[in-house]
Every structure is written in structure tokens, then in C-alpha cells.
Amino acid sequence: MFEDSLMESGGKIKTKSKYWMLATAALNLSILAVMILIPLLYPEALPRNAMTALLTAPPPPPPPPPPPPPQQVIKQVKMVSEIDAGLHAPTKIPKDIKMLKEEAAPSPPGVGVAGMGSAGGSAGGVMGGVFGSMGNGPAVIPRAAPKPTGPTRVSSGTMAGSLISRPDPVYPPIAKAAHVQGAVILHAIISKQGTIEHLTLISGPPMLAGAAMDAVQRWRYKPYLLNGDPTEVDTTITVNFTFGGG
């Protein structure tokens, strides 16, 4: 009786567990299928961070570092002077030394020094050509100095040395009685012949002016020469009156 109960219960347990396993497997497969199909049918259901991580390509690797610059090689250049390259001590002294004579360069034609050639030779021709070329230019005509249009201004001391005749003035008695004395200065124009042409009073006592002008009108001078020609003179004349004499 106990065995029957065990055998019946064992067959019943096995039969139920088989169906249970099949139902469980079908449920798991349906859940797995739903989890696979949902992302494919509805991609917006997935989180954005996960989509960005799946769709974004990985960044490219960084470029390799640039190669180091090549080191400059400084080459030492030995400078050889042309003088050093051409002048060296001879390695062997020759027995026979030849003397080289350089011929003087011929002088260019038409060049010479005056007095070094024969008469009428190249020197004379060169000198003649030089002075001949100088004579080809326009002749310079010396111009005479223009003659003065008016009297020439001359100092009183210079004209005093040219006096020929100089009568003394007469001291006026009224001026002598009044004890008037002094210097009378006159402005004079002397002609080309040496005579007084024009005479005016510049300064001096009025009592003595008339006597001074009367005396100077009779004075005579040598003709004043300017560039070899006699000319009129503009000058001043001073007549002194003192009690000792005019």
C-alpha cells in the first residue's frame, strides 16, 4: 500500500514538472524576444546617452609629435688669400737667372712738352694747338670805365695839396674891432680847369663869411685827373681867421 502511494505520487510529480518547464521556457523566450524587439521598433525608448555612446565614433588618435629639427653642421672654410696663393718661397733655386726687360709704353701722339722737341716739331704743334684753341673763343674787349656824370667828391686835404694860387683873405675891420675870429667852412665846386665855379657857406661867423668867400673865389687849383681825364671836383674849403692874420 505504501509502495502504491509512492509510485502514484511519483508519476504525478513528473507529469506536472514537465509542463511547468515548458511554460517557464516559453515565458522566458517571450520576455527575451520583447526585450530585443522593443529597441528595434522604438529606438526613442532607449536613453539618449546610450544612443549617443553607440552612434558617436571614437575620436581619432592624436597626431604623432613632429620630428626634432636637424642639427646644423657648421663647416669651417679656410680662406686663402690671393697673395698667399701666388707668393711662395721656391723649393729649388735655379742656376741661371734671366733678367726681363720691360719696354716703355709708346707716348700717345700729339703729347709733348714745350722745349723738348726739335724746332717746329710735336711740341710746337701741341703748344700751337692749345693756344690756337684758346684763340677760337670770342675776343674779350676791355671796356673803358664809365665817365662820371657829375663832380667827383674829393677831401679838402687832397685838394689843399693841388692849390696853385691862394690869396689871403682880408680881415674885416668891424670883425677885428669886435674881436670876432674863427673858421669859415665853404662848399665849393671846382671846374676841370681848376677855377671855383660855385661857392656856398656851410658854417662860420657871418662877419667873416664875406671876406672868406671873396678870397676863395680867386684861388686856383691843378686840374683833378680821374682815369687820365680832368674832372670837376666837389669839396669843402676851410678858411681860418685869427688876430695874428687871415
Side-chain angles (χ1 to χ4, degrees), residues 9-10 20 42 47 59 61 68 77 79 124 132 167 199 206-207 217 228 234-235 240:
S9 61
W20 180 256
Y42 302 100
V77 180
M79 302 297 293
L199 196 64
M207 292 183 181
Q217 286 287 351
D234 182 352
T235 186
N240 294 315

Side-chain angles (χ1 to χ4, degrees), residues 94-108:
K95 295 181 179 181
D96 298 333
I97 300 175
K98 296 181 180 181
M99 301 298 292
L100 298 178
K101 295 182 179 181
E102 296 182 357
E103 296 181 359
S107 59

Side-chain angles (χ1 to χ4, degrees), residues 166-172 176 180-184 208 211-212 215-216 219 238-246:
R166 181 184 176 182
D168 292 333
V170 178
Y171 209 114
K176 186 178 292 187
V180 176
Q181 62 180 355
V184 178
L208 303 175
V216 172
W219 287 6
T238 302
V239 181
N240 294 315
F241 286 88
T242 59
F243 292 117

